[in-house]
Amino acid sequence: MLRSPADTPGAEQACPIAPVLDIVFSRWTTPILWTLHAYGVQRFVELHRNIGTITPKVLTQRLRQMERDGLVLRTYYPEVPPRVEYEISDLGRSLAPLFAALADWSTEHLPAVERARQAFDGAEHPVTVG
């Protein structure tokens, strides 16, 4: 029996953690949170230097989104010159156990993933027509 598009569950119904994955595991969110958690309060230039490969434009965009999501706190000091500092919020800090669990998983399982990749890449795979 064919199902109508209205009967098909959306991504959020099919995977209820999809919104969390969109927030936490977007390309730069994890390195930014990790850096703020590891080094504490930082100015933009320090944060950019500690992350390394992110462009200033993308860092600005991600910080704004993370501030909107409540993961990062931005403090503006009206000095001459103005000073802005970023820090991880309590909400952002609450993700630390998740990151620790992922770090543990990677230590334990990435060698097996690499072995599986090598085995797959070395095997012949029949072409299927779809």
Side-chain angles (χ1 to χ4, degrees):
M1 177 176 166
L2 293 175
R3 296 170 66 172
S4 73
D7 295 336
T8 304
E12 289 181 18
Q13 290 174 331
C15 180
I17 65 167
V20 175
L21 296 175
D22 288 342
I23 293 168
V24 177
F25 295 111
S26 66
R27 173 69 175 99
W28 290 106
T29 300
T30 305
I32 292 168
L33 287 176
W34 190 281
T35 303
L36 288 172
H37 188 274
Y39 296 100
V41 177
Q42 295 176 69
R43 294 177 72 171
F44 184 90
V45 173
E46 295 170 304
L47 185 57
H48 183 254
R49 187 179 326 118
N50 286 329
I51 294 172
T53 56
I54 191 170
T55 66
K57 178 183 175 183
V58 171
L59 180 56
T60 298
Q61 291 170 341
R62 291 308 312 148
L63 285 169
R64 283 186 185 146
Q65 183 62 49
M66 293 168 67
E67 183 181 9
R68 181 176 181 256
D69 291 339
L71 302 175
V72 168
L73 301 173
R74 178 183 183 270
T75 304
Y76 174 79
Y77 297 94
E79 304 169 344
V80 178
R83 179 170 49 110
V84 177
E85 293 179 339
Y86 296 92
E87 64 182 299
I88 190 169
S89 68
D90 288 340
L91 182 60
R93 200 172 287 108
S94 72
L95 293 167
L98 174 64
F99 292 146
L102 288 171
D104 291 344
W105 187 92
S106 68
T107 300
E108 185 175 339
H109 297 288
L110 280 183
V113 170
E114 185 55 36
R115 288 190 302 276
R117 287 176 177 169
Q118 289 173 358
F120 182 89
D121 292 347
E124 293 204 20
H125 303 283
V127 176
T128 56
V129 178

